[in-house]
Amino acid sequence: MPSRTELANAIRVLSMDAVQKANSGHPGAPMGMADIAEVLWNDFLKHNPKNPSWADRDRFVLSNGHGSMLTYSLLHLSGYDLPIEELKQFRQLHSKTPGHPELGYTPGVETTTGPLGQGIANGVGMAVAEKILAAQFNREGHDIVDHYTYVFLGDGCMMEGVSHESCSLAGTLGLGKLIAFYDDNGISIDGHVEGWFTDDTPKRFEAYGWHVIRSVDGHDANAVRAAVEAARAETGKPTLICCKTVIGFGSPNKQGSHDSHGSPLGNDEVALVRKTLGWAHEPFVIPQNVYDGWDATAKGAAAEKAWQDKLAAYRAAHPELAAEYERRVVNNELPENFAEVANAFIAESQAKGEKIASRKASQNSIAAYAAVLPELLGGSADLAGSNLTIVKSSKGIEAADASGNYIYYGVREFGMSAIMNGISAHGGFIAYGATFLMFQQYAANAVRMSALMKLRNVFVYTHDSIGQGEDGPTHQPIEVLGTLRLTPNLETWRPADATESAVAWKAAIERKTGPSALVFSRQNLDPINRTDAQVADIARGGYILSDSEGELDAILIATGSEVSITLQAAEKLRAAGRKVRVVSMPSTSVYDQQDAAYKESVLPLSVLNRVAVETAHADYWAKYVGLDGRVVGMTTFGESAPGGVLMEHFGFTVDNIVNTVEELLQD
């Protein structure tokens, strides 16, 4: 049986060889953390390489994702479907070993990491999900949900603000099954960190309410093992294990230096590492006895089999709970009656015709859908009373009672969004979280990561325009809608009334291939009369809301709060003899996915006279109105005044829309 040192050295040589072959990458972190990883994966991690998606597996997150070869080496060595040829293709096109770990590319990778700090936030989300599921489903004698989340992170993650946000909340929620390993090697890209990072990190985490284990020698397997055992013994707090390591361990000339951080070691240094470690094997060659020492397939299969036996006993004792658990967690399926309930609510919203803010319509939708969706897990970044995300069935998650369905995130927009990513990557929930649209910019990278990972999150944004008024330009997001719409795989909705809001929520819940951004108004919106066919077409993202017979003079396109005044402008234009069409386009991204015939029926290419109306930046609408069209939109920041005053000041009036169309037709 190979020694622990030999097992860890296999990680080191695979990592440096892959980086060297790619002539790109970060060998230092994998070489420095290899001993910690060996202890965790061989002595503690509950996983099955032959079934990476087993529901009750432990989760492992490499927050310092630039050290991705650490993860790839671990997955390859322990028996996952990641052959040595994939390691040889590190950072190459279409390989399973991209530059940073990416969810969906590599079996065994739990979340996409790379933007520093977000991995630990994702880990917090995974631990939150585990704790809530355990509270909701476990019963005496039946711990069907019982796993840990382990996170590796470095100095860069500690410096990023999102780690402060998420780790603070983790302490408050008492996430006892979250164990983080801090790779305290004192090096970042620019060199030794004492010039710019002198925080007392252990004190910081103790202040958060974490259990902190200080000054562990990260190259002493016995010390690491003892630290993990102590961490697992603390059930009421998350644990930070502070590990002192040497970056690039084993490299005679580059260890302990930023020279080993983000560049290949070089062929000469690689040869010296082999000599230093006593590794007498060619690149990418691992002796069979080392593979045997790492192989986790038999142990993993036995662990999953033991859990399957527990699930069978649980199913016998609590059949209804077991069926719900399997629906939500194992199969990721919506209730059979969800579509029926949602369609009935949409029809009811249309029939009522209430003049309410779309944020209120959103709250009504949450209440209706939550009645049949126990997996709907809400939250707000300290704005629940403004975002209207709490409903009668909402119950807050607390350290002592995690059986609820609502997280009070506090003023942590970035942390909230990254935690939601972890919750969704874990499974068992449809997470929604809310803030003002303007403050989405705090969280933009986490929202982007959600889209990149194809996670079903619902990002709720209210106070969507200059119409929110007196708070002024600091709170008026004239540019944010464009950013959301330009993000690949993010479906953005800006509903015009209660009916469109209900449809948007249904679409977001049913979507399994990525997140949705639902953008709602603060001010009340007029209800819109629609036929049944028009209600059905809302789900297509854009549809004809009002039309004229015969050859059209112009098409007006509007979203959200501007649809109502655009309809009024159309009536005035028709009274003057103009034949115009009004298109409501609550989701440009969904509309863009429609077939060519449908899009031609809504926006025929023959009609060049087009005007878009929206209280957001005008430039976005060029793709729909063309070079010959016009946009009634924003090109400056807003102002501080009542919302109605601002709408008139910036030209969002019936008369200005009419005049814009007339000027276009006269050109």
Side-chain angles (χ1 to χ4, degrees), residues 208-549:
Y208 291 156
W210 285 54
H211 172 218
V212 177
I213 302 174
R214 298 168 178 251
S215 302
V216 175
D217 183 346
H219 302 296
D220 182 338
N222 291 330
V224 173
R225 180 180 174 83
V228 178
E229 288 175 339
R232 287 165 62 103
E234 172 53 73
T235 60
K237 298 179 179 181
T239 295
L240 180 71
I241 302 175
C242 301
C243 298
K244 283 289 184 181
T245 65
V246 177
I247 191 171
F249 184 91
S251 172
N253 297 309
K254 296 188 176 183
Q255 70 176 24
S257 164
H258 68 281
D259 290 337
S260 68
H261 182 281
S263 303
L265 297 179
N267 290 324
D268 291 343
E269 191 68 13
V270 165
L272 286 175
V273 172
R274 281 185 151 73
K275 184 176 181 180
T276 300
L277 298 180
W279 190 269
H281 309 287
E282 294 298 313
F284 299 104
V285 173
I286 304 295
Q288 188 58 49
N289 70 321
V290 173
Y291 275 127
D292 292 342
W294 270 105
D295 188 10
T297 55
K299 185 169 63 174
E304 183 177 357
K305 174 62 166 59
W307 178 77
Q308 291 287 359
D309 291 343
K310 289 172 63 175
L311 180 59
Y314 181 70
R315 197 181 292 119
H318 304 283
E320 291 184 3
L321 273 175
E324 186 72 355
Y325 173 83
E326 291 183 89
R327 177 186 72 79
R328 285 173 51 181
V329 182
V330 178
N331 300 321
N332 187 28
E333 295 175 345
L334 292 174
E336 290 183 1
N337 66 335
F338 173 72
E340 179 183 351
V341 169
N343 290 336
F345 176 72
I346 292 166
E348 179 186 345
S349 298
Q350 180 63 38
K352 277 186 176 179
E354 292 182 289
K355 182 173 183 176
I356 55 176
S358 55
R359 61 172 175 162
K360 178 60 179 175
S362 169
Q363 185 182 47
N364 293 344
S365 299
I366 294 169
Y369 298 158
V372 292
L373 290 174
E375 61 264 49
L376 203 56
L377 179 61
S380 175
D382 202 51
L383 287 168
S386 295
N387 299 145
L388 302 185
T389 48
I390 292 179
V391 297
K392 287 184 178 180
S393 62
S394 297
K395 176 184 175 183
I397 303 298
E398 300 176 0
D401 180 6
S403 63
N405 60 359
Y406 194 89
I407 300 173
Y408 291 91
Y409 284 104
V411 188
R412 301 181 178 100
E413 296 88 358
F414 194 179
M416 172 184 71
S417 303
I419 289 169
M420 287 169 61
N421 288 345
I423 291 169
S424 295
H426 179 281
F429 296 98
I430 300 172
Y432 70 89
T435 186
F436 288 176
L437 180 58
M438 188 67 255
F439 303 145
Q440 186 275 343
Q441 293 194 320
Y442 281 125
N445 199 266
V447 176
R448 181 181 188 272
M449 295 296 285
S450 183
L452 185 65
M453 288 191 273
K454 303 178 182 178
L455 298 175
R456 177 168 53 182
N457 284 322
V458 185
F459 297 106
V460 177
Y461 301 118
T462 68
H463 296 61
D464 66 347
S465 73
I466 59 169
Q468 81 135 319
E470 292 88 346
D471 280 339
T474 60
H475 285 54
Q476 294 166 6
I478 64 99
E479 73 276 34
V480 182
L481 268 170
T483 300
L484 293 173
R485 288 168 174 156
L486 290 172
T487 302
N489 198 42
L490 175 66
E491 291 191 351
T492 300
W493 292 81
R494 186 173 184 245
D497 67 351
T499 304
E500 286 191 1
S501 298
V503 172
W505 261 106
K506 178 177 182 283
I509 288 168
E510 290 181 333
R511 186 175 190 231
K512 288 187 176 182
T513 56
S516 301
L518 308 186
V519 180
F520 299 115
S521 73
R522 175 195 186 191
Q523 69 272 33
N524 289 339
L525 305 181
D526 292 327
I528 297 169
N529 292 323
R530 296 179 184 84
T531 65
D532 290 344
Q534 288 173 322
V535 172
D537 281 343
I538 295 171
R540 305 188 77 160
Y543 63 102
I544 300 169
L545 188 56
S546 174
D547 212 359
S548 299
E549 293 184 3

